[in-house]
Amino acid sequence: AIDAGELLLFCQPKVDMRTRRFCGAEALMRWKHQRRGMISPAIFVELAESSGLITPLTQWVLEAAFDARHRWHEAGFEQPLAVNLSARDLHDPRLVDRVQGLMSAWGIREGWMQFELTESVLMSEPATVIDTLGRHRDLGIELMLDDFGTGYSSLRYLQQMPVSSIKIDQSFVRRIVDDPESAAIVRSTVELCHALHKRAIAEGVEEVAVWNALEAIGCDAVQGYYVGRPLPVNEFPAWARASRWSQPAPSTAKT
Ligand code: C2E
Ligand code: CA
Ligand code: CA
């Protein structure tokens, strides 16, 4: 797929709940297969991880995402773009140098890129991985904990990982309105995030009712179809310019 040029980079917006403005985006890979059509990364990323092909795949995504972020800057956008990394990537000793190389090649400044990681990155050689994460953070790359609540959810990992934000998994967020237990999990996670001085981001927000429930809880940011679906990265600046999430929030002050 890499050699045939069949990979595409899409991205999906994130919105700050307080300002109601677009505050960043997540880069998501797509494979446009000649016969099978669009294949979801949910299928091929796992295959790439188990076959050892994740390294060139991640390399492709990083190049495409840094290039895209450079173009965003030229188009007048300052919001960060997040790339998903696999556990394997964090064990690759060449990763930090590659990232540093891409930063200087594309003129990427501190705060422009983020990495999303799951707790599984700490499953083997946690001390080495924490060191690698710290080196990326020192380069000015913000780190986020992805799919929180579904993996090992070790509170020690949470304490040790140099992440600034936590993304609460869709499986809890989606049920927040109908299921009191999911609501309790989301509420406690947001409180935990704030107590640890981290931002809470809810994933998979599809409806206004879910937005309202998250707003009442004090969640910081959201991502999901309610805000915007993933779209090709080169279409993103036009979307962002026209979007209601780029306009000033309507005044809610009572007269
Ligand atoms: P993820 O990191 O949790 O990404 C969020 C997934 O949820 C994306 O699926 C996105 O399209 C989908 N999504 C977003 N909002 C909604 C919503 O409101 N409702 C529903 N039902 N779904 C929503 P996608 O793009 O199919 O990616 C699946 C997974 O594949 C990602 O989950 C991530 O773990 C992995 N992945 C995607 N791109 C990459 C990549 O470049 N590198 C690596 N290592 N993994 C990737
Ligand atoms: Ca992610
Ligand atoms: Ca996720």
Side-chain angles (χ1 to χ4, degrees):
I2 296 173
D3 292 345
E6 292 175 352
L7 292 179
L8 303 170
L9 195 69
F10 275 50
C11 71
Q12 186 183 29
K14 300 173 185 171
V15 163
D16 183 291
M17 293 206 89
R18 198 178 48 78
T19 62
R20 292 174 180 251
R21 306 285 283 269
F22 156 57
C23 67
E26 175 175 10
L28 295 161
M29 233 189 303
R30 297 285 178 266
W31 178 2
K32 200 171 175 205
H33 194 277
Q34 289 197 347
R35 281 176 293 109
R36 299 184 187 186
M38 210 66 104
I39 306 180
S40 163
I43 296 168
F44 68 81
V45 164
E46 219 176 292
L47 284 172
E49 282 169 348
S50 56
S51 64
L53 280 172
I54 193 70
T55 306
L57 212 55
T58 298
Q59 177 70 13
W60 183 88
V61 177
L62 286 171
E63 271 164 25
F66 276 71
D67 173 4
R69 184 61 190 78
H70 164 78
R71 287 165 203 262
W72 275 9
H73 173 65
E74 296 194 317
F77 292 103
E78 295 310 324
Q79 289 85 350
L81 179 60
V83 174
N84 290 284
L85 292 188
S86 290
R88 279 257 192 136
D89 296 321
L90 273 310
H91 292 281
D92 180 352
R94 294 160 301 178
L95 182 70
V96 186
D97 287 344
R98 282 212 201 98
V99 168
Q100 193 163 23
L102 284 168
M103 286 184 80
S104 35
W106 291 111
I108 300 298
R109 300 184 199 154
E110 290 196 8
W112 285 12
M113 298 300 293
Q114 302 167 325
F115 288 160
E116 297 191 4
L117 332 134
T118 60
E119 292 143 303
S120 62
V121 299
L122 293 191
M123 268 169 54
S124 74
E125 298 179 67
T128 315
V129 172
I130 288 169
D131 178 66
T132 306
L133 293 178
R135 289 170 67 191
H136 283 100
R137 196 192 44 189
D138 294 344
L139 287 178
I141 303 220
E142 199 190 328
L143 305 173
M144 315 183 132
L145 191 50
D146 205 356
D147 303 340
F148 187 76
T150 60
Y152 294 83
S153 301
S154 154
L155 298 177
R156 198 197 334 258
Y157 285 176
L158 182 60
Q159 203 175 24
Q160 288 176 340
M161 281 175 88
V163 296
S164 60
S165 314
I166 288 169
K167 298 186 78 178
I168 308 171
D169 192 69
Q170 324 195 355
S171 54
F172 306 108
V173 173
R174 211 176 296 135
R175 293 201 285 264
I176 186 174
V177 178
D178 305 318
D179 174 24
E181 291 186 354
S182 295
I185 289 171
V186 174
R187 193 180 312 112
S188 318
T189 307
V190 170
E191 275 173 21
L192 179 63
C193 285
H194 291 164
L196 298 175
H197 309 291
K198 301 181 195 301
R199 279 165 62 81
I201 304 172
E203 300 190 274
V205 177
E206 295 185 358
E207 300 160 9
V208 69
V210 174
W211 171 291
N212 291 338
L214 289 165
E215 198 170 37
I217 283 174
C219 185
D220 300 292
V222 307
Q223 183 179 346
Y225 297 167
Y226 176 67
V227 167
R229 289 189 177 247
L231 75 171
V233 78
N234 58 347
E235 293 174 18
F236 199 77
W239 175 90
R241 218 168 273 121
S243 160
R244 68 164 158 139
W245 306 108
S246 294
Q247 318 307 322
S251 170
T252 49
K254 294 198 173 72
T255 48

